[in-house]
Amino acid sequence: MPSRSAAGVRTGVRVVVSGDRGTGKSSLISAAASDAFPEYVPAVLPPTRLPSDFYPDGVPVTIVDTSSSMESRVKLIDELKRADAVVLTYACDQPMTLSRLSSFWLPELRKLEIKAPVIVVGCKLDLRDERQPMNLEQVMAPIMQQFREIETCIECSSATLIQVPDVFYYAQKAVLHPTAPLFDQEKQTLKPRCIRALKRIFMLCDHDMDGALSDAELNEFQVKCFNAPLQPAEIVGVKRVVQERIRGGVSDLGLTLEGFLFLHALFIEKGRLETTWAVLRKFGYNDELKLRDDILPVPTKHAPDQTVELTNEAIDFLRGIFRLYDSDNDGSLQPSEFDDIFVTAPESPWTVDPYVDAAERTPQGNLTINGFLSEWALMTTLDPSYCLANLICIGYGGDPTSALRVTRRRSVDRKKKQTEKNVFHCFVFGPKKSGKSALLNSFIGRPFSSNYTPTNDVRHVANAVEQIGGSQKTLILQEIPGDGVKKLLSNRECLAACDVAVFLYDSSDEYSWKRSRELLLDVARRGEESGYGVPCLLIAAKDDLDPFPMSLQNSARVTQQLGMEAPIPVGVKLRDSKSVFSRIVCAAEHPHLSIPETEKGKKRKRYRRLVNSSLMFVSVTVGAAVAVVGLAAYRAYAARKNT
């Protein structure tokens, strides 16, 4: 049974209780469920459910008992891997079981890669030797320092019912209101992603944008998050606490961002994580401090050959953002200006693959407007949900459904012999050392390098391409490593998202030509088999080198046989290669042309035509026969009627 609803809200918490034999696991569970000390408990209890009204959060808790015997180890591991929280027990009257936590149980949880929060519970408190008192905080501090996954430590007694319900309340709380995403225990500070989320919330609540929350704005925030207004005396009290503890936390205009962040850090330090989590969830955040999927209305693609693009409204918003953050008006964004845009997003999205080096930049490393919009186009193509989340986080105020649109099916574009797309996705195939990386680098303005560095992973670059007449289209080039072609083509729908495919070969190397031809035929066959045939172009790279004998004749013959354009010569090293990108866009804009046909594909097409013409002949013949019979019947009927 899933523990989350469709909106990501917890519908249940699964707590697994483990520890050494005889530490009181089963008695603890039984006492919590019945509010009485059990006379007799079996060795291992069946799963026990605490109803939703047992604790204030209104979420039911399922408690799973476990055995520590070797025979039950497989089942124990399985239960631990399914746990939302783990309760580790030791016996207060058996010091050895306490030392076993750090010598065995906690390292074992790490070895099994259990990510659930841990609650350490000392059972049988009533049996501890009073002559050997123990300070729990002093004993557990070094253990908690070593094992940060420990959320809480508590001691209890099932016999006297001391703190028994608290054990599973803390376990539930650790799941529903986790500390790890919000607070760095080691540094005793809010984590960066938490600060970014709270900063966005502060800015959304600061309606007059004066850098402070006035009393009215604070009250509105309180009502939104907790359905109850603050009394004037309470507002004064909150401000006083902030003023006493942090300089600059309160200004003449109200509570500043520094004060707002301090308040939440204070809530967490005092164990009131539910307060901060209530705020975060009210503004749409999940446990990873990302916007939940249920508030991201990404349009649905109904077919594999449809893609998602930014609308003109979203592009206009992004142009405005670029101008706003281009503080020196030099037409490009410096790294500091660029980072400021995403200060209210979970992180800056383009600092990792596939976005980190995917767009045009100036020689100083600044991002141009073309590069900025191209990065957004790439993110929309690869991950529409991620794109929409970032748009909302940086302040897109329009209806989220107006930011993205689904394109028409490519198969429909092919029939209509035109496309309405503004972003084209191009797969770049070719053997090693054919010049794929050089082509991609030249597309985003990177200088040519004679040092060969093989591409082992899929790489993307994106840029705007200006067409005749002044129109602009965005082109995404995706380099397919030679080792990854087989895996790519094993997926029947691999070409569905591809608008055009180009095949590079080193025109000075005969092997490179032969391998590129093989790749071209493989892709053509896959397109014919799947119904996702794509326009293809052949590019003779390294045109500045001496070609191998018969190079031009062989490539021209192959393209002619397949019904493609003649190979395009490109010398990335010596001359401008921009014209080749216009040719690629032009091929994508005419999706019915340049689709290669193999001999097998031609035979299949001829066979279909023959079958269709035969069926048409049969239907015409049958229709004529039916008409003759009908006419004869009518004449007989008319003659009989006249008689």
Side-chain angles (χ1 to χ4, degrees), residues 208-268:
D208 53 13
M209 294 184 289
D210 62 355
L213 298 183
S214 64
D215 291 359
E217 288 168 338
L218 264 177
N219 230 342
E220 189 176 334
F221 165 79
Q222 180 75 11
V223 171
K224 178 180 176 68
C225 295
F226 305 104
N227 298 317
L230 285 169
Q231 298 302 316
E234 291 176 310
I235 293 177
V236 171
V238 167
K239 288 181 179 178
R240 185 185 300 116
V241 169
V242 174
Q243 274 180 320
E244 290 173 354
R245 299 284 296 274
I246 180 169
R247 187 179 178 182
V250 177
S251 71
D252 294 339
L253 299 172
L255 185 71
T256 65
L257 174 61
E258 290 80 7
F260 186 72
L261 294 175
F262 166 76
L263 273 179
H264 285 282
L266 188 63
F267 291 147
I268 294 168

Side-chain angles (χ1 to χ4, degrees), residues 417-493:
K417 299 182 180 181
Q418 61 179 357
T419 180
E420 300 171 340
K421 296 181 71 170
N422 295 311
V423 180
F424 297 116
H425 195 164
C426 171
F427 287 2
V428 181
F429 295 93
K432 289 182 178 180
K433 299 186 178 182
S434 60
K436 300 189 298 297
S437 297
L439 183 73
L440 267 68
N441 286 335
S442 71
F443 185 45
I444 55 174
R446 301 291 186 273
F448 175 79
S449 172
S450 56
N451 295 327
Y452 173 68
T453 305
T455 303
N456 298 318
D457 298 314
V458 173
R459 180 189 172 200
H460 297 80
V461 297
N463 208 345
V465 177
E466 193 160 332
Q467 295 296 88
I468 297 173
S471 66
Q472 259 194 359
K473 302 291 183 181
T474 300
L475 178 62
I476 296 170
L477 299 182
Q478 177 178 337
E479 181 179 354
I480 310 296
D483 298 339
V485 175
K486 186 176 181 181
K487 181 180 178 182
L488 173 74
L489 296 181
S490 65
N491 178 2
R492 182 175 175 81
E493 297 177 348

Side-chain angles (χ1 to χ4, degrees), residues 67-80:
S67 169
S68 56
S69 67
M70 288 303 296
E71 298 80 23
S72 304
R73 179 169 172 74
V74 173
K75 182 171 176 55
L76 171 64
I77 292 173
D78 178 61
E79 293 293 357
L80 288 171

Side-chain angles (χ1 to χ4, degrees), residues 94-334:
Q94 301 173 44
M96 180 60 71
T97 59
L98 175 58
S99 61
R100 280 265 297 168
L101 295 182
S102 53
S103 65
F104 173 74
W105 283 104
L106 290 163
E108 183 71 3
L109 292 180
R110 284 189 176 178
K111 182 180 174 183
L112 296 172
E113 297 183 348
I114 306 300
K115 303 299 183 185
V118 176
I119 311 299
V120 171
V121 180
C123 299
K124 306 184 181 183
L125 180 60
D126 56 301
L127 299 181
R128 173 180 286 154
D129 189 346
E130 294 181 357
R131 294 170 296 178
Q132 296 180 341
M134 185 185 80
N135 186 313
L136 181 63
E137 189 174 336
Q138 287 181 351
V139 172
M140 289 305 303
I143 299 177
M144 293 182 73
Q145 189 75 20
Q146 183 182 357
F147 298 96
R148 294 289 181 178
E149 54 269 39
I150 299 175
E151 193 81 18
T152 308
C153 298
I154 185 173
E155 291 183 329
C156 67
S157 168
S158 300
T160 60
L161 300 179
I162 295 175
Q163 296 199 123
V164 167
D166 296 356
V167 170
F168 299 105
Y169 168 71
Y170 286 125
Q172 185 202 58
K173 185 178 177 182
V175 177
L176 299 181
H177 316 298
T179 304
L182 307 184
F183 201 71
D184 189 323
Q185 300 277 20
E186 212 163 303
K187 297 178 181 178
Q188 289 294 294
T189 57
L190 295 173
K191 286 191 173 179
R193 190 175 281 188
C194 179
I195 292 174
R196 287 167 172 261
L198 291 173
K199 190 174 289 187
R200 171 176 171 262
I201 292 169
F202 179 89
M203 293 172 70
L204 288 173
C205 296
D206 182 16
H207 301 302
D208 53 13
M209 294 184 289
D210 62 355
L213 298 183
S214 64
D215 291 359
E217 288 168 338
L218 264 177
N219 230 342
E220 189 176 334
F221 165 79
Q222 180 75 11
V223 171
K224 178 180 176 68
C225 295
F226 305 104
N227 298 317
L230 285 169
Q231 298 302 316
E234 291 176 310
I235 293 177
V236 171
V238 167
K239 288 181 179 178
R240 185 185 300 116
V241 169
V242 174
Q243 274 180 320
E244 290 173 354
R245 299 284 296 274
I246 180 169
R247 187 179 178 182
V250 177
S251 71
D252 294 339
L253 299 172
L255 185 71
T256 65
L257 174 61
E258 290 80 7
F260 186 72
L261 294 175
F262 166 76
L263 273 179
H264 285 282
L266 188 63
F267 291 147
I268 294 168
E269 285 177 17
K270 292 185 175 298
R272 292 174 53 191
L273 288 96
E274 62 273 15
T275 303
T276 300
W277 274 116
V279 171
L280 291 165
R281 286 174 179 140
K282 197 68 180 180
F283 282 86
Y285 288 93
N286 61 16
D287 286 358
E288 296 175 342
L289 296 186
K290 295 180 179 179
L291 293 182
R292 297 192 309 269
D293 290 341
D294 63 297
I295 64 170
L296 299 174
V298 177
T300 304
K301 294 192 297 180
H302 297 289
D305 59 348
Q306 289 181 295
T307 55
V308 179
E309 292 183 2
L310 291 166
T311 62
N312 289 334
E313 185 176 336
I315 293 172
D316 288 342
F317 165 76
L318 291 172
R319 288 184 183 277
I321 286 289
F322 186 91
R323 289 192 296 269
L324 179 65
Y325 283 87
D326 181 17
S327 55
D328 50 8
N329 296 315
D330 64 349
S332 64
L333 294 177
Q334 298 174 15

